[in-house]
Amino acid sequence: AASLTVVVQVFPFADDQSLLLAQDITELQRTEAMRRDFVANVSHEIRTPLTVLIGFLETMQSIELAPDQQSRYLDLMMTQSRRMKNLVEDLLTLAKLEANSKVAPSTPFSVMAEMGALRSDAEALSKGKHRIDFSVESAHALMGEQRELQSAFSNLISNAIRYTPEGGSIQVKWSVAEDGYGEFAVTDTGPGIDAAHIARLTERFYRVDGSRSRDTGGTGLGLAIVKHIASRHHAQLQIVSTLGKGSTFTLRFAPERLDVVGT
Ligand code: ADP
């Protein structure tokens, strides 16, 4: 707010022009603040697993561990290393998406054919702890970039599995809505998300429950990635959730993005 006043005083433009300039500067300040936050977040996310790793390595250097204890340490070190690898991979994905704001190329991607692979990945992640249901109600292919669409879909499915307690159920559905939009919807019977959090979920590193997210292997970047992929495909990400009941995350694709397979 301070620099806003300075700018208005220094340039005796007409009212609307000063206002325009002042808005530009607050926008720049906001961008700069977001960049600083992002660097601080990334540093923190990398430092934490590194600190744990160094701690274990120091212990192993200084004392002789019993074989079972040693293997437990190695498992924990592997978990932390994987966490850093996932974070770096998500950061690279996000950087690539952010550098490329162009509309995604339009090649037909058969959602129906993809469902098998999505299902086996989901089952591997769930380890039999959830009831998982896949349904394909439309034969339409989606025009877009295959790898990005796969990544957006599997991000939504893995969130549903990671946040839904054992015994819950997850439903994945591909259909065309009455308004002609293609809908890829993932519904879970998980904890649900409070309305106040929903608008912020696609911000980088925004988490409702930080420790729960990290425990389940989350990087905090999944929905930011999904949002970018959606916007490159002119798709909307719709989130409907009820606390204590569960959530539905839907990617809605405009009718122009749909293609009837085989015609
Ligand atoms: P994370 O790696 O933390 O899962 P995401 O960007 O994928 O990062 O999600 C951001 C936050 O949104 C999560 O930390 C979690 O709090 C919340 N969230 C995402 N999906 C779900 C879901 N299906 N049920 C409940 N909360 C969810």
Side-chain angles (χ1 to χ4, degrees), residues 90 155-164 186-193 197 200-210 212-214 216-226 239 241 246-249:
D90 278 359
N155 256 303
L156 295 183
I157 298 172
S158 79
N159 276 354
I161 294 171
R162 290 190 297 114
Y163 293 105
T164 302
V186 182
T187 302
D188 64 56
T189 59
I193 305 150
H197 293 293
R200 301 196 58 191
L201 289 188
T202 59
E203 287 175 22
R204 301 177 294 192
F205 295 117
Y206 189 84
R207 295 162 163 125
V208 177
D209 178 348
R212 167 127 184 79
S213 157
R214 288 187 195 88
T216 61
T219 61
L221 297 173
L223 290 176
I225 291 174
V226 172
I239 305 170
S241 187
S247 318
T248 299
F249 286 72

Side-chain angles (χ1 to χ4, degrees), residues 7 45-46 64 67 85 93 120 123 165 167 179 218 226 229 243:
V7 172
E45 296 291 332
I46 292 178
E64 188 87 26
K85 179 162 178 274
T93 303
S120 45
E123 274 158 8
D179 59 5
V226 172
I229 296 174
L243 261 187

Side-chain angles (χ1 to χ4, degrees), residues 28-246:
L28 269 177
Q29 284 173 332
R30 199 166 29 233
T31 312
E32 178 56 20
M34 276 170 66
R35 196 194 60 79
R36 272 200 307 267
D37 278 357
F38 181 63
V39 171
N41 278 327
V42 170
S43 312
H44 176 78
E45 296 291 332
I46 292 178
R47 192 180 55 188
T48 309
L50 267 180
T51 307
V52 177
L53 269 178
I54 290 170
F56 281 128
L57 285 169
E58 278 172 354
T59 308
M60 291 173 92
Q61 264 182 338
S62 62
I63 54 169
E64 188 87 26
L65 293 172
D68 61 327
Q69 204 173 13
Q70 185 173 349
S71 94
R72 207 168 53 83
Y73 272 39
L74 288 173
D75 282 348
L76 291 166
M77 285 162 67
M78 185 62 92
T79 305
Q80 297 300 330
S81 306
R82 290 223 169 92
R83 190 174 139 189
M84 276 192 290
K85 179 162 178 274
N86 290 342
L87 175 65
V88 171
E89 278 171 358
D90 278 359
L91 283 169
L92 285 171
T93 303
L94 202 55
K96 269 193 232 149
L97 286 167
E98 284 179 342
N100 187 357
S101 57
K102 286 203 293 282
V103 173
S106 253
T107 33
F109 167 72
S110 166
V111 183
M112 201 194 283
E114 185 61 25
M115 285 300 207
L118 289 173
R119 182 201 290 270
S120 45
D121 288 352
E123 274 158 8
L125 187 62
S126 160
K127 299 193 182 92
K129 291 181 181 150
H130 309 90
R131 205 194 113 102
I132 309 178
D133 223 49
F134 277 75
S135 67
V136 179
E137 296 177 6
S138 164
H140 284 83
L142 201 46
M143 302 305 291
E145 217 273 316
Q146 176 175 349
R147 268 199 309 187
E148 289 184 20
L149 293 169
Q150 280 168 336
S151 150
F153 294 170
S154 64
N155 256 303
L156 295 183
I157 298 172
S158 79
N159 276 354
I161 294 171
R162 290 190 297 114
Y163 293 105
T164 302
E166 191 164 353
S169 52
I170 286 116
Q171 208 210 358
V172 182
K173 190 167 87 176
W174 170 240
S175 61
V176 174
E178 272 179 14
D179 59 5
Y181 275 65
E183 293 191 335
F184 184 88
V186 182
T187 302
D188 64 56
T189 59
I193 305 150
D194 196 88
H197 293 293
I198 289 184
R200 301 196 58 191
L201 289 188
T202 59
E203 287 175 22
R204 301 177 294 192
F205 295 117
Y206 189 84
R207 295 162 163 125
V208 177
D209 178 348
S211 57
R212 167 127 184 79
S213 157
R214 288 187 195 88
D215 287 350
T216 61
T219 61
L221 297 173
L223 290 176
I225 291 174
V226 172
K227 191 189 79 174
H228 276 283
I229 296 174
S231 84
R232 267 168 52 76
H233 287 81
H234 295 312
Q236 310 161 332
L237 173 64
Q238 193 181 70
I239 305 170
V240 178
S241 187
T242 312
L243 261 187
K245 283 205 153 168

